[in-house]
């Protein structure tokens, strides 16, 4: 086991560190985090509407549903101003975070990214009128600003900002001798870089439309985004990403942060499609989405460490482990696992390497096939990460009681995987710090 850990530390850890230090990926991760209020607001609107619809259709509470019509309409309004414009908000957030990372004007970066995204989407909308499809020119279809536009927002938001920051760092700007207020000086400094960036993106889109005959956003959706999202529904890809998140976590890296661009670009896109379907009372399209990991595997955080805490409290006789478990229990219930990951520790602790990797893999595999068989609803509501396990699953699957059963079964499976290693840890003679047994004698 020590040889395996040593090999992974020397071969995988440097790669993970390099990935975690790529500034563009860090900015993209932070951009997704920044729009979380929009995601949660839109999901709460879906939950409210779904609850009222369920009360009417399943319980026959017609009077209650009628009384709640104002709340339903408010939820629809919130939806249109939040989730329905997700890509629009993401482009602004991405430009801001990139500017923050590369030390440029943050507001100018956000505006440049937004403009670059808007240039790249079709300026016409198609509507159905008397059974026929009518094309309205000089209009934007709102679906381009929802989850279907995520990849376009990321690509052209980054491209537009890239041109802007190159010009900004090269000091291609208007140099004024007068002492101006800071806001005005910053605006003049960003004027030329912003113009060059926007015209550069416009020229790229013009050439693409000329030679390909369609808008880049439409082509990107059909050629790249849809195939990638479909690829993310494959069992092997889901298991691979789960494995990588756990491996990075074992070495003290935040696997969710390192792989956030992949997780969010592929599985968050799928989740947003499911949320939209739930809002429109349609069948969810995707089996496995971003929230599926949280709902059915990462109980208490990556690794299912809440079950380790419970296993220690139930079976361990080591006073140091029990003390740490008691301290980590409350944060673990709300899916915060740093106290146990770094306090026990799990990081670089060979005893806990196998269960830390194995428990989530088994939980994800079991939940994936249960969902494929239709025995539980796919995740179709975005739930905040701090919502405790079981309740998280129930809400994420749109009030499906079967999700509760699946979550409990998975928690018991994870507990059974963690327990033998807790017993093993008790038998290890440990007169010093728990990490002293990790010695490199090869």
């Amino acid at each position: 086991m020590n040889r395996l850990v040593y090999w992974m530390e020397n071969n995988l850890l440097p790669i993970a560190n390099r990935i975690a230090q790529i500034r563009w990926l860090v900015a993209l991760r932070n951009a997704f985090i920044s729009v979380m209020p929009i995601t949660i607001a839109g999901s709460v609107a879906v939950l409210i509407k779904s609850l009222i619809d369920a009360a009417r259709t399943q319980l026959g509470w017609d009077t209650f549903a009628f009384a709640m019509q104002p709340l339903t309409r408010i939820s629809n309004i919130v939806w249109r101003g939040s989730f329905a414009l997700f890509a629009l908000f993401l482009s602004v957030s991405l430009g801001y975070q990139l500017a923050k990372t590369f030390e440029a004007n943050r507001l100018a970066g956000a505006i440049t990214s937004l403009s670059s995204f808007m240039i790249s989407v079709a300026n016409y909308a198609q509507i159905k009128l008397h059974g026929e499809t009518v094309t309205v020119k000089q209009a934007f279809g709102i679906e381009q600003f929802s989850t279907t536009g995520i990849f376009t927002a990321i690509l052209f938001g980054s491209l537009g900002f890239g041109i802007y920051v190159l010009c900004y760092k090269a000091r291609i700007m208007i140099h004024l001798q007068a002492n101006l207020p800071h806001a005005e000086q910053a605006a003049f400094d960003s004027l030329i870089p912003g113009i060059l960036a926007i015209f550069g993106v416009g020229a790229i889109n013009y050439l693409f439309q000329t030679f390909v005959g369609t808008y880049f956003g439409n082509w990107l959706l059909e050629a790249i985004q849809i195939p990638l999202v479909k690829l993310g529904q494959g069992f092997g890809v889901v298991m691979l990403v789960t494995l990588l998140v756990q491996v990075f976590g074992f070495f003290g890296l935040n696997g969710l942060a390192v792989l956030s661009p992949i997780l969010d670009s592929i599985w968050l896109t799928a989740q947003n499609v499911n949320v939209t379907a739930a809002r429109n009372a349609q069948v969810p399209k995707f089996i496995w989405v971003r929230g599926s990991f949280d709902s059915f595997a990462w109980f208490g955080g990556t690794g299912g460490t809440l079950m380790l805490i419970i296993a220690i409290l139930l079976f361990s006789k080591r006073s140091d482990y029990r003390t740490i478990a008691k301290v980590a229990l409350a944060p673990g219930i709300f899916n915060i696992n740093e106290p146990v990951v770094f306090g026990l520790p799990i990081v670089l602790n060979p005893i806990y390497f196998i269960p830390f990797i194995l428990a989530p893999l088994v939980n994800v595999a079991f939940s994936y096939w249960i969902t494929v068989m239709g025995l539980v609803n796919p995740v179709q509501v975005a739930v905040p990460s701090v919502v405790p396990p079981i309740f998280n699953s129930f809400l994420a699957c749109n009030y499906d009681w079967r999700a509760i059963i699946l979550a409990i079964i998975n928690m018991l499976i994870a507990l059974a995987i963690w327990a033998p290693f807790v017993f093993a840890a008790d038998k290890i003679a440990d007169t010093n710090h728990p990490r002293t047994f990790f010695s490199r004698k090869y």
Side-chain angles (χ1 to χ4, degrees):
M1 180 62 68
N2 281 350
R3 291 181 182 276
L4 175 61
V5 172
Y6 182 63
W7 179 87
M8 296 178 70
E9 184 179 3
N10 283 274
N11 292 275
L12 293 182
L13 187 57
I15 297 174
N17 273 322
R18 284 195 291 270
I19 293 174
Q21 292 171 3
I22 297 175
R23 291 195 287 177
W24 180 82
L25 294 180
V26 172
L28 179 57
R29 178 200 67 199
N30 292 338
F32 276 107
I33 295 173
S34 297
V35 296
M36 188 178 297
I38 301 300
T39 304
I40 300 304
S43 295
V44 170
V46 172
L47 281 173
I48 292 173
K49 184 176 183 298
S50 297
L51 183 61
I52 295 173
D53 290 344
R56 182 183 69 252
T57 58
Q58 299 182 20
L59 301 178
W61 292 4
D62 294 333
T63 304
F64 171 80
F66 179 79
M68 291 294 104
Q69 280 187 354
L71 186 57
T72 301
R73 290 168 183 166
I74 291 173
S75 298
N76 291 335
I77 293 173
V78 170
W79 168 268
R80 289 197 301 272
S82 58
F83 219 104
L85 303 176
F86 183 87
L88 199 66
F89 295 119
L90 179 64
S91 67
V92 175
S93 178
L94 178 59
Y96 180 90
Q97 294 295 341
L98 284 169
K100 180 179 178 181
T101 300
F102 288 91
E103 300 179 352
N105 187 302
R106 299 179 187 182
L107 181 58
I111 293 174
T112 302
S113 176
L114 173 62
S115 178
S116 300
F117 169 58
M118 294 295 296
I119 288 172
S120 308
V121 298
N123 63 339
Y124 64 85
Q126 292 183 329
I127 61 174
K128 288 190 176 296
L129 185 64
H130 304 302
E132 296 183 1
T133 300
V134 179
T135 300
V136 181
K137 296 183 178 180
Q138 304 303 319
F140 292 104
I142 194 172
E143 69 278 356
Q144 297 181 107
F145 303 136
S146 63
T147 55
T148 59
I150 286 180
F151 276 69
T152 306
I154 292 173
L155 180 59
F156 275 98
S158 301
L159 178 61
F161 176 82
I163 299 173
Y164 164 80
V165 77
L166 286 175
C167 297
Y168 188 87
K169 294 295 184 180
R171 307 297 294 174
I172 303 175
M173 55 184 62
I174 299 176
H175 298 282
L176 301 175
Q177 300 297 327
N179 292 326
L180 297 175
H182 175 73
E184 294 183 19
Q185 184 64 54
F188 276 105
D189 288 346
S190 299
L191 180 60
I192 300 301
I195 291 174
L196 292 176
I198 292 170
F199 267 87
V201 172
I204 292 172
N205 275 277
Y206 166 76
L207 292 174
F208 189 88
Q209 292 169 30
T210 300
F211 290 102
V212 180
T214 185
Y215 284 84
F216 190 91
N218 293 346
W219 175 84
L220 185 68
L221 177 65
E222 297 294 332
I224 298 178
Q225 181 171 340
I226 291 177
L228 277 178
V229 173
K230 288 182 177 179
L231 179 66
Q233 297 303 296
F235 178 70
V237 177
V238 171
M239 295 297 288
L240 175 61
V241 170
T242 305
L243 174 64
L244 291 176
V245 168
Q246 298 307 134
V247 169
F248 291 157
F250 179 75
F251 288 103
L253 296 173
N254 188 333
L256 294 179
V258 173
L259 296 174
S260 177
I262 297 174
L263 284 164
D264 291 342
S265 299
I266 296 178
W267 284 283
L268 184 59
T269 300
Q271 176 172 295
N272 291 345
V273 171
N274 279 6
V275 172
T276 302
R279 187 259 177 186
N280 296 326
Q282 299 173 350
V283 177
K285 184 177 180 180
F286 295 104
I287 296 297
W288 198 263
V289 300
R290 176 61 185 84
S292 303
F293 296 99
D294 299 323
S295 298
F296 299 124
W298 292 334
F299 306 112
T302 54
T305 50
L306 178 59
M307 306 320 298
L308 168 61
I309 295 171
I310 293 174
I312 291 174
L313 294 176
L314 289 176
F315 308 121
S316 180
K317 297 179 180 178
R318 290 181 55 159
S319 59
D320 55 340
Y321 276 19
R322 293 184 63 84
T323 299
I324 293 172
K326 290 175 182 177
V327 172
L329 179 60
I333 291 174
F334 295 97
N335 301 313
I336 299 170
N337 67 352
E338 281 78 7
V340 67
V341 168
F342 296 101
L344 197 59
I346 295 174
V347 172
L348 291 175
N349 187 334
I351 289 181
Y352 290 129
F353 173 74
I354 291 178
F356 188 71
I357 302 294
L358 184 61
L361 287 174
V362 173
N363 285 162
V364 166
F366 182 64
S367 303
Y368 178 92
W369 292 112
I370 287 294
T371 308
V372 168
M373 290 186 289
L375 300 179
V376 68
N377 285 345
V379 169
Q380 51 198 273
V381 173
V383 179
S385 61
V386 294
V387 175
I390 300 177
F391 190 54
N392 178 306
S393 308
F394 178 64
L395 292 178
C397 293
N398 206 358
Y399 307 111
D400 185 358
W401 61 269
R402 298 173 298 178
I404 297 176
I405 304 300
L406 178 57
I408 292 174
I409 292 174
N410 275 345
M411 293 175 77
L412 293 175
I413 291 173
L415 180 64
I417 293 173
W418 278 108
F421 296 89
V422 171
F423 287 123
D426 275 2
K427 295 179 180 179
I428 291 178
D430 185 19
T431 57
N432 299 310
H433 191 277
R435 291 180 70 171
T436 57
F437 57 80
F438 183 60
S439 58
R440 295 177 182 167
K441 298 178 181 178
Y442 306 105

